[in-house]
Amino acid sequence: MNQKDTAYTYIDTHAGAGVYALDSAQAVKSGEYVDGIARLWGRDDLPPALAEYVDVVRKLNPSGKLRWYPGSPWVADAETRLEDRLRLFELHPADIRVLAENVRKLEAHHAEQGARARGRRILVDHADGFHGLKALLPPPSRRALVLVDPPYEVKLDYKHVRDALEEAIKRFPAGTYAVWYPALQRMESRQFPDRLKRLPAKEWLHVTLSVAGPRADGNGLHSSGMFILNPPYTLEATLRETMPYLVQVLGQDAGATFRIEKGTPVTGAVAARGGIAGAPRQPVGNARRASPLSGGGSLRLPGQAFGDGARPRAEGEGEQGGTAGRAPRAQAAGQRGPRNEETARGERAAAAPRGAGTGSRTQARGPRTETAAAPRGPSKRGGSGRS
């Protein structure tokens, strides 16, 4: 953002307190920083972008002891220029008081250093950032970086993020929107990136970092993601240089990994399912749970083949239910003679009964046709997603 001369506006929809004490009772109890910033604090082999970030943390701790940790507003103030503007929203009553005090100290420090911006450079607003965002777009300079980082303590936060971004892009399509989210086992989190991929931005960049494999109980935050709409063109290369290092240094077990993907908006029901030009359909959005018969166990949609293709059928294997692919009765009961009602009843008696997969009817069926080999879609009982 700083490589262009034109000023821009930094908007933080959930700014928090701005600065956090790592020796506070809450920080000591959770101990999260021990496996995070503390692992990077003493390193001398940091990639350039990561070294710049750690330098911001060091300036907040001039004694050399890691005691204070900067939130996004502090980092934004350190990286933006004098002509850029910061607009910070926070709704929590305790955090807004701390944020306002921290901003006051920042501005006093800048004034002591002789740095004076034209007008108020940093504005703090005690308001819901989802709603406050609307009034700031488009910004006067037509350049903006928006950070959306809610707590996701309630399921509706995922919907609120998407709705706010959809409205923001309508007002200001050229803005850069960066969204943080926790990569959890819950369905809302797993579907979240696919929903963001459908927003009408020019392009998107998605990166996730996992420091450990998921726990058996499904609890604990071991992975998180950033989804950037209209990303700066230099960001992908920076991430590809930095993410392998973070996995190596912050990884806690063999499940540590990262993922980077990019693309353009997914539009339309067919495109969303990956069914363009005969390509295999991919599970997106509210994809149902995989059937136990699907082999690989991956998510699939109604009509999508089991596993990598049609399930192979053993010689003589019968089909459970349905009528597609049956061999002619002449093959099941022998050569057919002149047909009458008595003959027809005799043929039906000679054919194997329609059981429930006992194997007694295998002689009455010929090989499956291609249509018969296609799997049935998952059950739609009550929309539960059970197969």
Side-chain angles (χ1 to χ4, degrees):
M1 297 294 289
N2 292 346
Q3 291 184 16
K4 292 184 179 180
D5 294 335
T6 307
Y8 62 91
T9 301
Y10 168 81
I11 304 171
D12 200 328
T13 62
H14 297 75
V19 178
Y20 302 91
L22 298 180
D23 56 0
S24 67
Q26 181 178 357
V28 171
K29 181 179 180 180
S30 68
E32 292 178 348
Y33 77 95
V34 175
D35 288 323
I37 185 60
R39 291 195 179 193
L40 305 174
W41 184 248
R43 306 281 302 200
D44 58 0
D45 60 344
L46 299 169
L50 199 55
E52 184 178 357
Y53 171 70
V54 174
D55 283 343
V56 173
V57 184
R58 293 188 189 280
K59 291 177 181 178
L60 192 58
N61 297 272
S63 67
K65 181 180 179 181
L66 181 58
R67 182 185 176 190
W68 303 98
Y69 187 72
S72 51
W74 187 280
V75 177
D77 174 75
E79 294 301 305
T80 53
R81 304 159 300 184
L82 195 61
E83 61 270 24
D84 302 322
R85 294 293 182 265
L86 281 69
R87 302 294 180 256
L88 313 177
F89 293 93
E90 179 54 49
L91 194 58
H92 194 281
D95 285 349
I96 189 64
R97 289 194 296 269
V98 178
L99 176 62
E101 178 63 16
N102 285 330
V103 168
R104 186 191 66 79
K105 293 179 180 178
L106 265 178
E107 292 180 327
H109 173 73
H110 292 323
E112 292 175 357
Q113 303 299 316
R116 296 186 180 276
R118 295 177 57 185
R120 291 294 302 276
R121 181 172 176 270
I122 307 176
L123 292 180
V124 178
D125 197 346
H126 185 196
D128 184 346
F130 290 135
H131 298 297
L133 181 60
K134 299 178 183 179
L136 299 179
L137 298 177
S141 66
R142 296 303 191 270
R143 295 188 70 210
L145 169 61
V146 180
L147 176 64
V148 184
D149 180 16
Y152 297 97
E153 293 175 350
V154 295
K155 295 180 180 180
L156 284 177
D157 274 347
Y158 296 92
K159 181 180 184 301
H160 291 159
V161 170
R162 191 197 179 283
D163 291 347
L165 289 174
E166 187 173 32
E167 178 67 23
I169 292 173
K170 289 180 182 178
R171 293 172 178 267
F172 186 45
T176 296
Y177 303 91
V179 182
W180 179 90
Y181 72 96
L184 305 173
Q185 297 300 308
R186 63 195 302 181
M187 185 61 69
E188 295 81 12
S189 177
R190 298 209 309 264
Q191 294 177 345
F192 192 52
D194 285 326
R195 297 184 187 277
L196 297 184
K197 290 174 184 178
R198 298 173 189 168
L199 291 172
K202 183 178 179 181
E203 58 184 352
W204 51 263
L205 180 64
H206 181 213
V207 55
T208 60
L209 171 66
S210 300
V211 296
R215 290 169 47 176
D217 58 8
N219 297 325
L221 178 61
H222 57 83
S223 303
S224 61
M226 289 290 299
F227 197 99
I228 303 97
L229 298 162
N230 299 327
Y233 72 94
T234 60
L235 183 56
E236 182 187 359
T238 300
L239 289 173
R240 294 195 180 279
E241 180 183 16
T242 305
M243 298 307 294
Y245 182 90
L246 288 176
V247 170
Q248 177 186 354
V249 176
L250 302 184
Q252 301 174 16
D253 59 31
T257 186
F258 75 97
R259 182 181 64 176
I260 297 174
E261 55 179 350
K262 64 177 180 178
T264 54
V266 179
T267 58
V270 175
R273 295 184 180 185
I276 301 176
R281 300 170 72 183
Q282 298 297 326
V284 296
N286 58 345
R288 303 181 186 277
R289 294 178 59 188
S291 164
L293 302 177
S294 61
S298 60
L299 293 175
R300 64 183 181 90
L301 293 168
Q304 179 181 345
F306 288 110
D308 295 329
R311 184 168 62 95
R313 178 175 175 170
E315 183 179 357
E317 180 185 352
E319 182 190 10
Q320 300 182 14
T323 59
R326 287 184 186 170
R329 284 194 176 100
Q331 296 181 14
Q335 183 67 33
R336 176 175 299 181
R339 183 177 180 84
N340 55 36
E341 184 60 25
E342 293 298 326
T343 304
R345 283 199 294 268
E347 289 175 358
R348 286 195 292 270
R354 298 177 187 178
T358 61
S360 59
R361 62 186 175 167
T362 56
Q363 298 301 320
R365 301 281 178 88
R368 282 187 187 176
T369 64
E370 184 175 354
T371 302
R376 297 182 181 87
S379 170
K380 296 183 180 179
R381 293 179 293 175
S384 64
R386 293 174 293 184
S387 298

